[in-house]
Each structure stands twice: as C-alpha cells, then as structure tokens.
Amino acid sequence: MSVSATAPALKADDRPIDYASMRRRRRGFVLPLVLGGLLCVLVLVPIVLMFVGSIRTGTFVDPRAQFSLRSLTTVYTTLPFLTSLAVTVGASLLVSFIASLVGIALAWLLARTDMPAKGLMENAVIAPLYLSPFVGALAWLILASPNAGLLNVLARDLFGATGPILNVTTATGIILVMALYNVPYAYMTVSAALKGMDPSMEEASYLNGAGTLSTALKVTFPVVRPSIISAFFFVFVLTCGTFSIPAALGGTQAMPFLAVDIYRSVATYPINYARAAAIGTLLFWISLIGVAFYRYASRIATRFVTVTARGYRMRLVKLRGWQLPAMLLIVAYVTLAIILPYLALLYVAFTSFTSSSILDATFTLANIQSVVGSVAVRQSIGNTLLVGILAPTLCVLLGVIIAYSIRRLRIRGAGALDYIAMFPIAVPGIVFGTGIFWTYLMTPAYGTIWILVIAFVASYIPFAYRMVDTSIIQIDKSLEEASAVCGASHWRTAWQVTFKLIRPGILSAWILVFIFSVREISAAILLASPSNKVLSVMSWDYLEFGNVQNAAIIGLLQTLILVAGVIVSRYVLRIRLSQAT
Amino acid sequence: MAKLSVEDLVVTYGSVKAVRNVSFTVEDGEFVSLLGPSGCGKTTTLRCIAGLEGSSGGTIRIGDDVVAADGRDVPPEKRGINMVFQSYAVWPHMTVFENVAYGLRTRREPAANVDAKVREALRIVGLEGYADRYGTELSGGQQQRVALARAIVTSPRLLLFDEPLSNLDAGLRDRMRYELVELQRRLGQTSLYVTHDQSEAMLMSDRIILMKDGEMIQSGTPQDLYNRPATRFAAEFIGNANILNGVIARSSSDGSAFARLPGGLEIEGQFSWPEQMRSSGSVLVCIRAESIARIPDGEGGANCFDAEVVSTSFLGSVVSCMIRIGEVTLRAELGARRHPRSGETIRVRIEPDTVILISEH
C-alpha cells in the first residue's frame, strides 16, 4: 500500500461508505425488465411472428393451418418474385443515386455559394419532407397520366400534340417521382456534413492553387464522402419499403415492387397471408443489409467530423454567371415537388369533373362540400387526428422513459434496450404492418384504431428515442449535479432541470412522429378495416375505385392537417424542424 | 519570395468596420507578426491578404502584383502564397504524402519532381517515415507539421500563419516556436504571423504590428515595443506595466522629465517618443513590474523610495509583490532569494530610463 502513504490508516470500524455498491443496489431489475418486455412485445414480437407466419399455411386463428415451407420457397425461388426482388433493389439503387446526386448539388449550392435568399430556398427544398409522398404521387398521376393527365391535355389543347408527351405510369416515371420525394433526405444529411466541416480544409486547398471545381471534387466531397454514402443507403432503405408511389402510379403493371406485392397478397383474390409474410421477410433482409451499410457509413462520418469553434464567415464561392442556372435548378425542384402537384390537386378539387378543357374549366365548391359532408370522411378525419395525437404522444413518452433510464438511471441492459429501440429503423412500414397483422389478428385490437396506434408507436420509436437521447446527451451533467448539491431530490432535479432542458427535443420529436403518423399509408393500408380508416387509406380507396377527384380532395385535407401541425410547431412552439431528422 | 505591402486596407461587414485603414509592409524574407486581443482585426487582415476574405477598400501588393484593390480581389488560388491554419486543416481522406503533394500536383509538376520535393519538405519538418499515414492518425503536433510542410513545399511568395500553435499544449507549443522560427530563418521565407500571445510574437518576430479595434496601434521590433510603448494599450498589452496618471513637474530638452504622481510623489522618467515630449500637463507614467529593484536600506539616488510591502505571492524565480510608496500602489517583481514579507518596509529603486512617460493625444 505504497500509494496511501500520506493517508491516515483506516481502522476496522470506520470503513469508507461503499457508494459503488449502493448505486448498484439502486439499479434494480424491475425497470429494465418492464421496459425490455414492453419493447420486445412492441417491436420484436411482430417481426418474429411474421417469420413464423411465413412458414404457416394460414393465419394463427385458422384451425386447419399447419407448418409448411411452400410460401417461402415460392417467394424465394420462383420467377415473379425474383423479378420483383431484382426490380425493387435495382430501382431503389437508381432512386438513391438520383436523389443523392440532386441532394448533393443542392446542398453544395446552398452551403457554399453566394446564392441569394438562402433561408427561403433551404425551406423550400426541405418542404417535401412534411408532405405525404402518396399525395405527391397522386398529384403526378393527375398531372401526367397518359390520357387524362393535365399536362398532356394542356399540350394537346395548346400545341395540338397527339398522344401523351409525359407518362408517369411507367417504370421511369415511378423511379423519378420516388427520387423527387427522397431528395430532401439526401440534402439534409449532406448539408449537415458540409455545414459541420472545417472551412479551413477548403481554404487550404484554394491556397494550394486549386480552383472552385477542383476544390469541390478533391477536398469538399471526399471529406463528406461518408455522409454521402450514409445518405445514399438511408434513401435506399426508405425506397425499398415504399408502397405509396409505385402503388399509386400503376402498381404491378408498370413496375413490380415487393411492397406492392405484399399489399396485393392480402388485398386481392386469392388472399394469401402467408405469402405476404414471406415477401415481408424478403424485404426485411434487404432493409437489414441497407441499414448495415448505412450504420457503417454513419459511424465513419462521425469520426470524420471536424467542427471548429471559429467564428469567421466561410468564404463563399461567387457564382456570377452561374447564379441564374443554379437558382433555376432549385426553382425547378420546388416546382416539380410541390408547386405543380398542389396546383393540380387544387385544380381537380375545385373544378367540375365534366370540364372538357383546362382553359375554360368551371370552378365549384360542390365537390369539396360533398366529400367533407360524407360521414365516412368525417370519421376518417377523426381517426387521423386521433392517431396523429395518440401515436406521437405515446411514442415520445416511451422515448423519454427509455432515454432517461439509459442515460441517467443507467439501468442494467442499457445496450440491449438501445438496440431493440433502434431496431424498427431497419423495418419498412409495410413489413411492420405485416408483422402487426400476424400478431394482433387474434386480439380484440384488430380492426380498431388502436392497432394503428400500436403499429405507429412501434415503427417510430427509434426516431423519438434517438432525438430525446441526443438532447439528453447534450445537457452538461454538471447542470443536474448543481441542482443536486442545492438540495433538490432526484425527481425534482429531473423535473426542474433535465426535462425543462430537453423540452425542445421532446417537442420536435413529437412533431416529427406526428408528421410520420398523419401521412403514413403502408402499414395503415394492411391493417385497415371499415372502422379505422385514416385519410391516407381513404384517399387510396377512392383512387382504387377510380375516383381521382375525391382522392385528391382527401389528399388536400390530409395536407391541411400536416401543414397546420408544421405551422404550429414552427411559429407557435418555435421548433426548428430542419434539425429534427 | 516577395515583399508584401498593404495600403489603407478597409474591411466592413455591413455597418461594422472590422479593419480600418491598416497599412504596413513585410520586406522580403522578413518575419512579421500581427498581434492583438481577439476581435482586433488581425485575423481578418490576414485572411484579406490570403484572399479568403473580400476587402472593402485599399490595396494589397505581393511582389509587383496587385492582388486586391478598391474592393476587387484576386482569388486565393491565384496569389501564389500559402498558409498554415489554426485547425491544421489536414485533409483526412489523404495520406500525409498526398496532403503535401496537393499543391504541386495542382500545378501539374512532373511526378518525380513532386516526389523529391515532398520528401524534402517532410524531412525539413521531421516527418520522414510518416508519408503513408493518414492525417487522422497523427497527433496535433504532427498534423501541424504536415500543414507546415504542405505550406512550404510550394515555395510560396508569402507564407501566412493563422495562430498555428494555439491548439497545441503548452510544452509542445514552446518547442514548435523555436522550430518554426529556425525554419523560417533557414528558408528566408517572407512570413506574416497572427497571434494573440505577446510572448510568442516577441520570441519569433523581426517586427510586430500591434492592433486594436481594427486599427494599427504601433509597429516595431520586439525591443522597440517593449521599451518604447507609444500608448497605454501598447504598454499594457506587452509586458507587466503599472500605468499611473501623473502631471509633468519639470522637463528637460533631452526627453527626461519629472512627473508628479498622486500624493505628491515625484518620479523621474523618459519620454520615449520625441513627438510626445511636453513640459506641462498630464502624462501616463508606465513603470514595469520587473524594473523595480530592491536596494540596501538607506541607499540614495534618483528614483529611490521607501516602500511598504502590502502583499507577496511567491512565483518561483520571482516574488510578485504589491508595494505602496506614499499613496501609490505598484506591482513589483522582486528577486526571490531575499524575498520581502508583508508589512515590511523596503528600499526600492526604479531606474529613470525604464520609467516611460506617455502623453496620449
């Protein structure tokens, strides 16, 4: 004991208090078991039961059902599904490539050049995130379907064009529309990396004689390469599981897509739940691989981050003559993603269906009145609002409890909890829907609005948890310790200091999950019953029956709810949503 | 290598003038520092010279080329200069070799040439054997050396340093100061160095330009700035100075004068700048803590006083004391060997030619 030479020797009866073991005693088993159990039921059980379902011949309530590998072998080895698989993967790669390319270009223009009105431009580029991709696809169907598409009709009326000039119900059309609505995800990831990058990296390149283009290609993009790769795979995973756009733009006729195959298996005759589960497992594996790449790239990206505390202004590239083309690129994007689609929706909603030409259309409120007046629509507005409030509230509540337990209570098994809570990020909505279907078919929740709440809470727990977790990490621990040494109890500290400080994080998580829940369609459509229809499902139903006008009106109603949510969060609660995801 | 000249440089951000009418030259092969507290405009001035910041007015010449005039700037890549950054800015996706070779390859120099020059630069900064490492695998000091090698390898006409040592820990910083200055002397590179650390500027520079609030306060050799501060700010920023308000009692034509301090104490000092000489009125009396010396009791002569020791703090080689002479309290650094105690009365002398008289305005 040479180290304690200057410390007085301890007598046997005044041993120091063993704080470590006290703390260990407080870290009991109850909380981690309860939380773990809850998360397992919510998140893991549906996926496990989906796998079990894929080797059954019928649902769990079907007494004649037995175990069989038939569905699995059909899906994993026969041609239509293998084609679907190849097309899904190929199209998703293409979509990710296009979306990343546009996203990178927009991010560089808005972060590195002297483009005017940057704040406005950035908001415009991010705006499609707050809107429903399904409604966007619906609008593009209205704009550019081969016969009745408004753009085609307009071309015929104005220029006498014969035949369609634009056709969105093709593989190309579907891929382009999917890319269009995924650009903001790529933009935000790359933009964050560019803004966090040490400006001296590029300045050093200029001083070594390299020009703007050479600096961008040799220094800027290579330094943010991990972020570009993670953006690519993020979009890939998202696209693989997309149901709304390929389904709305022609389904299997235009382009086979696994997510649409799942829906067809449970919605069209002959109904085959086991096949839906088997396709779900296939989609699950693709997502898992994509997420693995994404996580790997993200880990490298955080290692590459070189934020400096310097306050000087970044030297902006002067666009000079390129300013106009650059502005046009952004304006074109916003026009294609938002302006044209919503003009089309508004046009269809407010004109009578019998108008022969766009130029002499008669405007009317009758369509809107009849749709909003219908009992079914009112019920589905109610359903949407109910899900839109319950799902984010429960989701954020759970996220706060998990994050606080892991970061501050340091409960046992924190690593496993974190892993399970993040797991759904690898599961596309339609796959989750399949799993939830298999799980809750035998319970009274099936067919009610609650099954949607359960599905959404489970699907979006990673977002809520990660956002709350990030804001807890950002709180300097000494702020809480200061409260403790002032004599506040543990719970008073948590309430007065911790929760007050993470309030902005909680609010943005809530809004994010609200947006996701209101616009969600793929899980909702698998779990739909006459009594639990939300607006997105309602809109889909009208589209399936060929009533594009009512589908558009409902799409607008849904957009109205989303926009109201975003405006309240932005201007009343003052949340910066661009930092949210 | 070339001479740098800056004339009436102005930088404005909206209505804020960050740099106002700064003019100076750096001669061929000279090492000049821009010194000042944070926010004084020294970094902005440097970034204007690099071309990373736009100037609003004035002219910057490197050699015979005008690189900025009346708000129009040549872009940085066309200025033929190089810079070492505070954050090192070593590119993480390139090896050490690729980092250093970047500028040469941009110029499309032949591969053999690039190889030879890069090896030589790495040898100069002491990084032989690190060529294939990645930037992120190096320590801060090593990254700084990579940045230095990258800056010198292109034989720039002018080398700029933006507080390059401020992110290093104290011991390494001390060593790097000597290495940097030795390297600069050896290469004879025209250099402009920005720092807020006065001892760094004193140690390394041929000349120091002192800045405050976007303006040049004084420029001169380190000795000049220390011995002949022209303003209160210069006296306070460089060295430990007691600054007192006094009134001229008598003066002579050789620049020496007696100043009366509060309480009637008269002290002999020297106007360091002839144009500041005056025979009456108020002056600032600058007494450096290290020019107060303890002398045996009872000794007489110019500027000898009895002082009461108010407090002492032991700093190792010296003892920093607060002493009171009449109504005047001064900070003094006395030798630690025979160090005084609080409450003791000691005899001190302040050499008349170390007492600097400054008349502002």
Side-chain angles (χ1 to χ4, degrees):
Chain A
M1 287 292 279
S2 59
V3 277
S4 58
T6 55
L10 293 169
K11 280 190 285 275
D13 55 339
D14 59 14
R15 237 185 319 216
I17 305 161
D18 188 356
Y19 287 105
S21 80
M22 278 174 67
R23 207 170 299 130
R24 229 173 294 130
R25 227 171 297 141
R26 220 176 58 199
R27 295 171 51 189
F29 284 100
V30 181
L31 187 59
L33 282 180
V34 169
L35 277 180
L38 187 62
L39 276 179
C40 278
V41 170
L42 213 50
V43 168
L44 294 185
V45 167
I47 299 303
V48 171
L49 289 187
M50 178 183 76
F51 272 90
V52 176
S54 70
I55 50 170
R56 298 282 294 180
T57 55
T59 56
F60 296 131
V61 286
D62 183 349
R64 286 166 303 154
Q66 45 190 278
F67 285 99
S68 150
L69 287 175
R70 206 181 56 216
S71 302
L72 269 189
T73 31
T74 313
V75 169
Y76 278 74
T77 59
T78 61
L79 205 54
F81 296 102
L82 289 183
T83 315
S84 253
L85 171 66
V87 172
T88 302
V89 172
S92 300
L93 287 175
L94 210 56
V95 166
S96 316
F97 181 76
I98 300 170
S100 302
L101 217 59
V102 178
I104 291 166
L106 294 179
W108 187 82
L109 283 174
L110 287 173
R112 288 291 186 272
T113 68
D114 59 348
M115 177 96 75
K118 270 191 196 153
L120 183 74
M121 297 272 194
E122 173 152 35
N123 281 330
V125 169
I126 296 175
L129 277 187
Y130 311 138
L131 304 171
S132 154
F134 171 68
V135 177
L138 175 65
W140 271 101
L141 193 65
I142 294 167
L143 279 168
S145 65
N147 296 319
L150 292 178
L151 293 177
N152 290 325
V153 172
L154 209 56
R156 225 163 347 195
D157 291 356
L158 290 180
F159 312 113
T162 52
I165 45 167
L166 281 172
N167 184 359
V168 83
T169 62
T170 57
T172 317
I174 293 172
I175 287 172
L176 288 179
V177 172
M178 284 204 280
L180 194 62
Y181 289 102
N182 277 311
V183 164
Y185 295 104
Y187 169 82
M188 281 184 29
T189 312
V190 178
S191 169
L194 286 180
K195 285 172 186 165
M197 185 178 157
D198 179 1
S200 331
M201 297 262 181
E202 281 150 294
E203 293 172 351
S205 167
Y206 291 126
L207 284 163
N208 273 288
T212 305
L213 186 67
S214 166
T215 298
L217 294 180
K218 284 191 193 152
V219 173
T220 316
F221 294 135
V223 167
V224 298
R225 186 171 49 208
S227 298
I228 292 175
I229 295 173
S230 80
F232 180 89
F233 282 106
F234 187 77
V235 174
F236 174 79
V237 170
L238 227 50
T239 310
C240 272
T242 305
F243 161 77
S244 54
I245 297 173
L249 297 181
T252 42
Q253 290 99 37
M255 188 172 89
F257 217 68
L258 287 178
V260 182
D261 290 344
I262 294 182
Y263 171 72
R264 299 279 171 219
S265 300
V266 300
T268 57
Y269 191 78
I271 290 173
N272 190 338
Y273 294 118
R275 178 179 296 165
I279 306 173
T281 62
L282 189 57
L283 201 45
F284 174 78
W285 295 125
I286 304 173
S287 272
L288 210 60
I289 294 169
V291 166
F293 276 113
Y294 165 73
R295 289 193 93 142
Y296 176 70
S298 304
R299 239 197 341 270
I300 299 185
T302 46
R303 221 177 52 203
F304 259 43
V305 167
T306 48
V307 185
T308 47
R310 289 301 290 268
Y312 58 70
R313 301 182 314 170
M314 174 88 204
R315 175 177 178 264
L316 296 177
V317 172
K318 290 197 177 68
L319 285 173
R320 297 201 175 84
W322 289 97
Q323 197 163 22
L324 196 66
M327 297 257 297
L328 282 179
L329 176 70
I330 295 182
V331 171
Y333 173 71
V334 177
T335 308
L336 292 178
I338 301 176
I339 299 175
L340 265 186
Y342 279 92
L343 281 180
L345 291 172
L346 289 170
Y347 172 81
V348 170
F350 284 104
T351 53
S352 57
F353 199 54
T354 50
S355 310
S356 58
S357 154
I358 295 170
L359 303 170
D360 59 354
T362 46
F363 288 89
T364 168
L365 285 173
N367 314 322
I368 305 248
Q369 279 162 353
S370 80
V371 170
V372 176
S374 117
V375 179
V377 171
R378 289 201 175 168
Q379 197 192 358
S380 94
I381 294 177
N383 284 341
T384 304
L385 289 175
L386 195 64
V387 174
I389 287 167
L390 280 177
T393 307
L394 294 174
C395 204
V396 168
L397 196 66
L398 193 56
V400 170
I401 294 173
I402 299 170
Y404 190 81
S405 306
I406 290 178
R407 292 289 165 192
R408 288 299 185 258
L409 302 180
R410 294 159 174 257
I411 57 169
R412 289 163 197 271
L417 268 187
D418 176 84
Y419 206 83
I420 304 173
M422 288 310 288
F423 176 72
I425 215 160
V427 186
I430 195 131
V431 176
F432 229 102
T434 316
I436 297 268
F437 169 84
W438 277 92
T439 311
Y440 293 89
L441 195 58
M442 50 253 200
T443 68
Y446 186 73
T448 67
I449 192 79
W450 295 102
I451 197 160
L452 292 186
V453 175
I454 292 170
F456 293 173
V457 169
S459 275
Y460 301 136
I461 191 72
F463 298 96
Y465 161 62
R466 186 50 83 218
M467 278 176 82
V468 173
D469 189 49
T470 311
S471 29
I472 291 189
I473 292 173
Q474 280 166 354
I475 299 175
D476 188 348
K477 246 192 138 174
S478 58
L479 292 173
E480 288 161 307
E481 287 162 356
S483 163
V485 296
C486 284
S489 70
H490 183 90
W491 293 113
R492 188 175 154 77
T493 299
W495 187 247
Q496 290 288 325
V497 180
T498 319
F499 289 124
K500 291 271 160 71
L501 288 173
I502 62 172
R503 215 179 70 109
I506 293 178
L507 286 175
S508 7
W510 194 93
I511 285 294
L512 189 74
V513 178
F514 167 82
I515 292 169
F516 286 164
S517 305
V518 170
R519 71 181 198 186
E520 215 283 341
I521 179 162
S522 50
I525 209 152
L526 285 187
L527 302 170
S529 74
S531 68
N532 75 357
K533 275 186 188 162
V534 288
L535 284 173
S536 51
V537 175
M538 199 78 183
S539 180
W540 167 258
D541 281 356
Y542 277 121
L543 185 67
E544 281 274 89
F545 287 121
N547 190 341
V548 174
Q549 189 171 53
N550 283 7
I553 292 172
I554 296 196
L556 284 173
L557 280 177
Q558 191 197 21
T559 307
L560 214 60
I561 295 177
L562 285 172
V563 169
V566 171
I567 286 178
V568 167
S569 67
R570 188 112 197 201
Y571 297 102
V572 180
L573 305 174
R574 306 208 166 271
I575 300 166
R576 286 207 52 198
L577 282 167
S578 51
Q579 292 172 340
T581 40
Chain B
M1 268 140 281
K3 171 182 164 175
L4 164 75
S5 79
V6 177
E7 280 165 42
D8 297 321
L9 180 68
V10 177
V11 181
T12 52
Y13 299 133
S15 59
V16 184
K17 274 196 172 183
V19 175
R20 326 162 184 229
N21 302 324
V22 165
S23 304
F24 62 89
T25 57
V26 180
E27 299 296 335
D28 202 348
E30 201 182 12
F31 191 112
V32 173
S33 289
L34 294 173
L35 174 67
S38 56
C40 73
K42 57 190 190 299
T43 296
T44 308
T45 305
L46 186 86
R47 289 171 61 80
C48 271
I49 294 164
L52 297 171
E53 197 97 41
S55 62
S56 315
T59 313
I60 300 172
R61 275 191 198 84
I62 299 170
D64 298 325
D65 304 333
V66 176
V67 294
D70 305 322
R72 299 182 359 124
D73 302 282
V74 173
E77 63 268 25
K78 302 216 169 81
R79 294 194 176 193
I81 60 179
N82 220 320
M83 178 159 163
V84 180
F85 291 85
Q86 181 179 24
S87 60
Y88 323 135
V90 172
W91 299 304
H93 61 293
M94 296 183 195
T95 62
V96 168
F97 185 93
E98 287 166 333
N99 262 282
V100 178
Y102 186 88
L104 300 173
R105 286 179 176 165
T106 304
R107 275 195 242 158
R108 301 187 193 289
E109 291 202 12
N113 232 346
V114 171
D115 199 69
K117 283 186 183 176
V118 171
R119 304 268 167 221
E120 171 65 10
L122 288 178
R123 195 190 57 74
I124 288 174
V125 300
L127 281 182
E128 305 113 310
Y130 287 87
D132 297 326
R133 300 272 199 101
Y134 278 88
T136 41
E137 299 167 359
L138 302 179
S139 69
Q142 289 168 330
Q143 290 193 37
Q144 193 60 81
R145 285 163 199 266
V146 175
L148 187 60
R150 185 176 67 191
I152 59 173
V153 78
T154 57
S155 319
R157 298 192 288 176
L158 170 67
L159 195 49
L160 304 173
F161 295 90
D162 182 12
E163 308 208 20
L165 304 183
S166 64
N167 281 353
L168 300 177
D169 59 54
L172 189 57
R173 187 160 60 220
D174 265 359
R175 236 179 40 233
M176 284 295 279
R177 281 175 185 168
Y178 287 104
E179 278 187 33
L180 251 181
V181 89
E182 194 268 332
L183 178 69
Q184 191 271 340
R185 300 280 189 274
R186 191 143 47 95
L187 299 175
Q189 187 83 59
T190 313
S191 303
L192 185 63
Y193 191 99
V194 159
T195 179
H196 63 267
D197 184 324
Q198 50 120 346
S199 53
E200 195 167 295
M202 302 275 274
L203 180 104
M204 300 176 74
S205 320
D206 295 323
R207 211 144 50 78
I208 295 174
I209 294 165
L210 188 62
M211 291 184 69
K212 182 197 175 198
D213 298 335
E215 285 176 330
M216 276 176 64
I217 299 296
Q218 194 176 348
S219 109
T221 62
Q223 292 84 343
D224 241 9
L225 251 66
Y226 182 80
N227 292 329
R228 305 167 66 207
T231 60
R232 177 187 199 117
F233 173 76
E236 279 174 342
F237 199 78
I238 293 173
N240 284 319
N242 298 287
I243 313 264
L244 306 164
N245 291 310
V247 178
I248 296 291
R250 286 166 279 143
S251 70
S252 64
S253 57
D254 63 352
S256 67
F258 280 87
R260 190 177 302 116
L261 297 175
L265 184 73
E266 278 193 11
I267 189 164
E268 190 181 350
Q270 200 82 30
F271 281 106
S272 50
W273 292 87
E275 62 272 23
Q276 290 191 349
M277 275 166 55
R278 54 175 65 189
S279 51
S280 64
S282 60
V283 286
L284 293 173
V285 180
C286 164
I287 302 166
R288 297 210 178 269
E290 56 272 23
S291 47
I292 300 174
R294 185 173 182 182
I295 53 171
D297 292 347
E299 205 167 293
N303 286 356
C304 289
F305 307 101
D306 282 324
E308 186 198 337
V309 178
V310 181
S311 65
T312 64
S313 3
F314 179 69
L315 299 178
S317 58
V318 293
V319 176
S320 173
C321 318
M322 297 304 294
I323 58 172
R324 192 181 295 133
I325 305 171
E327 287 180 16
V328 178
T329 306
L330 296 172
R331 210 161 74 76
E333 281 183 0
L334 303 176
R337 277 212 306 150
R338 213 158 48 90
H339 78 84
R341 316 209 168 272
S342 299
E344 201 181 341
T345 302
I346 58 171
R347 186 92 179 147
V348 296
R349 174 164 62 216
I350 309 168
E351 278 298 334
D353 54 357
T354 64
V355 177
I356 304 146
L357 302 178
I358 300 168
S359 50
E360 280 187 312
H361 313 303

